[in-house]
Amino acid sequence: MKNHFELFGLVPAFSLDPGRLDLAYREIQARIHPDRFAHAGDAERRASMQWTTQVNEAYRTLKSPVLRARYLLELNGVDPAFETDTAMPKDFLIRQLELRQRIGEAKSGSELDSVARDLASQRGEIESRIARAIDEQRDFAAAKPLVRELMFFERLGAEVDAAHEALDA
């Protein structure tokens, strides 16, 4: 079985062209979509459903920077073990607490938008560092703590979204 990158004809790398991924995904879906097999036999319909499920999972993994980075670590023999390896640098944890406090104290959408911009900026920096570690240096062990940081920022982004929804309610 091909890995997710091979499936879409992409080079295994953290940095990828989202347009190429989307195009490859649409091309594959056009060939294997279950609707094309509506009048086929049971085995062909089942195979189409299985392929569609695998292609959707691969696409979802490569589309998400966090999932793509985790997948690359695993492909290259680095066990992320994020559930058991919970140590983080003190300055990073302090920054997380400050951001959570800003989210909790935000009284308006514009205050939350400010936090979201800060998060986007910090995420962009971490993604650049992950790209350097994985794509340029091929140092997957060095990328591991950066991927963990990116996961924290993704969760904070979800908290900002939830806070926006709470303000709108």
Side-chain angles (χ1 to χ4, degrees):
M1 172 154 169
K2 294 180 177 183
N3 72 41
H4 295 346
F5 293 96
E6 292 168 345
L7 179 65
F8 294 111
L10 301 170
V11 173
F14 180 74
S15 300
L16 59 76
D17 177 353
R20 281 193 61 203
L21 174 61
D22 291 344
L23 179 63
Y25 172 73
R26 285 191 306 272
E27 288 174 355
I28 291 171
Q29 282 292 23
R31 290 193 313 266
I32 66 167
H33 196 275
D35 289 350
R36 291 185 54 119
F37 296 88
H39 300 294
D42 286 344
E44 288 175 305
R45 283 197 310 270
R46 270 195 308 278
S48 168
M49 289 294 290
Q50 289 172 340
W51 263 108
T52 298
T53 300
Q54 289 175 342
V55 167
N56 287 341
E57 175 62 24
Y59 178 73
R60 187 180 71 79
T61 297
L62 297 186
K63 194 81 172 160
S64 162
V66 169
L67 296 177
R68 181 171 63 247
R70 283 184 74 144
Y71 184 69
L72 281 162
L73 293 181
E74 292 167 358
L75 277 181
N76 288 279
V78 175
D79 178 10
F82 296 133
E83 294 77 22
T84 56
D85 180 7
T86 58
M88 294 296 289
K90 183 178 179 179
D91 62 325
F92 178 77
L93 294 174
I94 290 170
R95 209 166 68 216
Q96 294 294 302
L97 289 172
E98 290 168 351
L99 287 166
R100 279 205 166 83
Q101 184 175 0
R102 284 180 59 198
I103 294 167
E105 293 174 353
K107 303 277 190 258
S108 69
S110 63
E111 289 175 348
L112 288 171
D113 291 342
S114 174
V115 175
R117 283 190 299 277
D118 290 348
L119 286 174
S121 172
Q122 292 180 50
R123 273 184 72 135
E125 167 62 27
I126 293 170
E127 288 178 12
S128 294
R129 292 171 56 205
I130 292 171
R132 279 193 301 278
I134 290 176
D135 299 345
E136 295 171 20
Q137 300 162 347
R138 308 298 291 165
D139 189 346
F140 299 95
K144 181 179 170 179
L146 298 172
V147 175
R148 290 189 63 227
E149 287 184 20
L150 188 59
M151 291 170 62
F152 272 91
F153 281 103
E154 186 173 85
R155 278 189 227 119
L156 284 173
E159 289 179 29
V160 169
D161 292 343
H164 263 296
E165 289 176 13
L167 281 177
D168 292 343

